[in-house]
Amino acid sequence: MNSMTSRHTTLFPLFARLFAFALLGFFVLSCSKDGAPGPEALDDELANIPGLGNTPGSLQGLPYQLPDGVTVVGQISGGMCEGAETTIGSGLLVTVCVGLRNDSDQGRTVTFPAGLILVSATDEYQHGVVLVEETIVIPPGETVRFVFHTYCGNSARAAATSNAVYTFGPITSSKLVARLVDDLKDKKIDAIDYWDGDGFRDEYYTVQTGVQTLLWLITDGTDLDWASFDLAYRELLGGIPNN
């Protein structure tokens, strides 16, 4: 499939931010971190995951490695790919163009696990968070270029543009992000499911905005106690369609 484009792309980041922070503002009123703790001390991670949101520090997690013989061609850059062969992932704010080459004599299946972080080369741009596992097959001796949709892990930073450069970072060790990944397994959030041949159906913008807001509740939900966070989380999750 060629690059996915839409008349909504330019307006979406503003819409997403307004929606997300209006929702956060509603739940933050009269709330504080003095509320009852969450299970397994998950509440300690609210707006407190190193490298995500506004929390300083290096991103934490297991290192990610491409299969033997597979390498990145050029740079992973923000924006759509000209002549992309396929599109994977879910999200909009951190959409990147990836080229992978397979120099082996056998086909390689590349898996991008949920929880993988695409790391911005600068603090100007958002890190990308993969929330649904994706795979792509690269034939022997060939290069495949594809669009990869991911979610924003730093709401205060700029959305990915063609000037943004990314690398594959760790698979996050955050328990809250892992919980979100697990809760999304049976949800219909893949971008490809909402593509009609000319652009995304309007439903996709509602779906991915809900998922983006769920992630921001985790990464940027400053001053939310566990009860308020969990209420907002469950309300948003319930609004995302099942597969």
Side-chain angles (χ1 to χ4, degrees):
M1 177 181 295
N2 290 329
S3 301
M4 293 185 174
T5 56
S6 165
R7 67 185 184 278
H8 300 284
T9 301
T10 301
L11 295 176
F12 175 77
L14 176 60
F15 168 73
R17 288 171 185 270
L18 290 175
F19 177 91
F21 286 106
L23 184 71
L24 282 173
F26 175 78
F27 284 102
V28 165
L29 290 174
S30 302
C31 296
S32 73
K33 292 291 284 185
D34 295 329
E40 301 178 8
L42 293 181
D43 57 317
D44 289 342
E45 285 193 352
L46 287 179
N48 191 34
I49 303 172
L52 296 179
N54 288 314
T55 304
S58 300
L59 293 161
Q60 304 295 308
L62 296 173
Y64 173 75
Q65 290 185 330
L66 292 168
D68 290 344
V70 176
T71 55
V72 176
V73 176
Q75 293 181 326
I76 300 174
S77 57
M80 300 291 189
C81 297
E82 288 299 326
E85 296 182 40
T86 190
T87 296
I88 64 173
S90 178
L92 275 182
L93 295 183
V94 185
T95 295
V96 300
C97 176
V98 185
L100 295 181
R101 172 143 186 102
N102 178 10
D103 288 316
S104 74
D105 58 2
Q106 296 181 342
R108 290 284 189 260
T109 297
V110 181
T111 299
F112 302 103
L116 174 66
I117 309 293
L118 300 185
V119 180
S120 169
T122 72
D123 291 340
E124 179 180 358
Y125 296 104
Q126 302 157 353
H127 296 317
V129 183
V130 178
L131 291 179
V132 58
E133 181 177 290
E134 298 285 356
T135 61
I136 190 166
V137 177
I138 308 177
E142 293 190 16
T143 297
V144 173
R145 289 170 60 80
F146 57 96
V147 176
F148 200 169
H149 291 285
T150 73
Y151 287 92
C152 163
N154 312 85
S155 68
R157 298 186 188 181
T161 70
S162 59
N163 295 321
V165 175
Y166 288 86
T167 56
F168 292 121
I171 304 163
T172 182
S173 57
S174 164
K175 293 179 180 179
L176 275 178
V177 175
R179 177 187 190 231
L180 176 59
V181 164
D182 190 60
D183 287 338
L184 292 173
K185 283 181 179 177
D186 295 323
K187 297 293 186 177
K188 186 178 179 180
I189 67 171
D190 272 24
I192 196 69
D193 291 334
Y194 296 92
W195 181 251
D196 65 9
D198 295 317
F200 288 121
R201 300 195 303 274
D202 288 344
E203 184 184 4
Y204 179 62
Y205 295 91
T206 301
V207 168
Q208 78 85 44
T209 297
V211 176
Q212 180 64 78
T213 307
L214 279 165
L215 182 59
W216 279 343
L217 280 173
I218 292 169
T219 60
D220 294 82
T222 305
D223 294 329
L224 284 174
D225 63 45
W226 181 262
S228 300
F229 163 79
D230 204 43
L231 174 61
Y233 183 95
R234 292 179 186 279
E235 290 268 349
L236 282 163
L237 191 66
I240 299 170
N242 296 324
N243 283 317

